[in-house]
Amino acid sequence: MISEKVYNVLFLCSGNSARSIFAEAILNQDGLGRFRAWSAGSMPRGQVHPITLDMLGKMNYPVDGLRSKSWDEFAAEGAPVLDFVITVCDTAAGEVCPAWPGQPMTAHWGVPDPVVVEGSESERYLAFADSYRMLRNRINIFINLPIKSLDRLSLKARMDEIGKLTDAVPDGGGQS
């Protein structure tokens, strides 16, 4: 039996403490072994935000090994060859990224930064929950794309479409 290709995906954000961490955890679990995800930041905060870890833990996502790290780790010799690099914040999307091994496909899926939200604890948790929901919806569409049957140009267009969703997500999590 021929094993199915595992796609390597890197999610980027500037601080690598919330949105990109959510995306890494979601894809690693919901991708059902077809994807291997990592996250990194252009200016990592050095620690994952406590609300991010709390929410992921409460939703039964593994949090062991999640850490805030620099995107330089993924441009260094010996780094995994990436198939996809997805920015989830506008800051990282506008920065000059390192040269990634393997010339991965890139896309931008901007999501508001919950870390900057001020207010009560419940208002802050709501901001994190909104970011999680947006990313989970987009990732569920992504994992249902017929990657093998799409040519590179069509796949790039589909990846860009996912990033433009207003997150009134269709039922079933998929997109035809």
Side-chain angles (χ1 to χ4, degrees):
M1 177 155 53
I2 299 172
S3 62
E4 189 171 335
K5 175 177 174 43
V6 175
Y7 296 98
N8 290 329
V9 182
L10 178 61
F11 291 98
L12 296 177
C13 199
S14 53
N16 190 219
S17 68
R19 294 167 288 183
S20 53
I21 297 286
F22 277 144
E24 174 184 358
I26 294 165
L27 185 57
N28 278 330
Q29 182 165 298
D30 295 359
L32 304 172
R34 292 181 37 237
F35 298 89
R36 176 66 181 109
W38 294 272
S39 66
S42 57
M43 298 171 287
R45 288 196 169 92
Q47 66 180 19
V48 178
H49 196 283
I51 295 175
T52 303
L53 293 174
D54 183 55
M55 289 185 71
L56 288 170
K58 286 179 178 174
M59 291 182 281
N60 298 315
Y61 285 94
V63 295
D64 291 343
L66 294 176
R67 63 185 179 88
S68 179
K69 58 205 158 296
S70 173
W71 63 11
D72 293 336
E73 288 186 28
F74 297 91
E77 187 173 326
V81 175
L82 302 169
D83 297 296
F84 300 94
V85 174
I86 301 168
T87 54
V88 293
C89 73
D90 293 330
T91 304
E95 294 183 59
V96 176
C97 294
W100 309 113
Q103 298 181 327
M105 181 164 300
T106 60
H108 175 63
W109 298 353
V111 173
D113 187 359
V115 172
V116 300
V117 171
E118 296 180 8
S120 69
E121 183 178 19
S122 55
E123 289 169 324
R124 294 179 70 223
Y125 266 85
L126 182 59
F128 277 81
D130 281 346
S131 293
Y132 165 82
R133 177 190 51 78
M134 288 177 201
L135 287 163
R136 182 147 191 256
N137 289 342
R138 291 174 184 188
I139 288 167
N140 280 327
I141 293 168
F142 173 63
I143 64 178
N144 286 297
L145 288 176
I147 294 173
K148 284 184 180 179
S149 65
L150 292 173
D151 62 66
R152 192 163 174 86
L153 192 58
S154 298
L155 181 56
K156 173 67 173 148
R158 298 291 288 272
M159 296 288 296
D160 290 343
E161 287 172 17
I162 291 170
K164 293 176 185 169
L165 290 175
T166 58
D167 289 285
V169 173
D171 291 332
Q175 178 174 301
S176 56

